[in-house]
Amino acid sequence: MIPRRLMCIVFLLAALGYAAVSYAVFEVPATPAAAEACGFLPGEFAAGGTLAYERPQAWAISFVRKQEYFTAITVGLALAFMAFALAVGRRGGAASAGV
């Protein structure tokens, strides 16, 4: 029997963990050049030269525009496979060699 529940839990924890770490290290860009690197457009700046968004909104926009959700999914799938391989390997399967 494939440990589907374990794989789903590990996938969700890994993907959400990646998003949480991404949010924790995100800094609102201060210059237009740094903002363009984060995926913001020049028209999204306020009159004072700062972004018109608060930190949570700026992170969400940057996360989607830079397509970091693909990275979160990839990390989740990799760790879910590792959990699967370790669970099957304990039962004597050969899938643990992939880890």
Side-chain angles (χ1 to χ4, degrees):
M1 180 172 170
I2 298 174
R4 289 185 184 137
R5 189 175 305 156
L6 173 68
M7 291 186 328
C8 290
I9 290 171
V10 170
F11 172 79
L12 286 175
L13 287 176
L16 292 176
Y18 178 84
V21 168
S22 174
Y23 180 76
V25 299
F26 179 77
E27 295 178 7
V28 178
T31 63
E36 285 184 31
C38 288
F40 293 103
L41 303 173
E44 295 177 321
F45 285 93
T50 61
L51 279 176
Y53 302 111
E54 296 293 325
R55 183 174 184 260
Q57 289 177 318
W59 171 79
I61 290 170
S62 177
F63 193 81
V64 171
R65 287 187 183 166
K66 288 174 54 179
Q67 297 179 345
E68 285 191 63
Y69 50 86
F70 286 128
T71 306
I73 292 170
T74 302
V75 168
L77 288 173
L79 291 178
F81 174 72
M82 284 179 59
F84 165 74
L86 290 173
V88 170
R90 288 187 186 134
R91 289 186 269 167
S96 62
V99 175

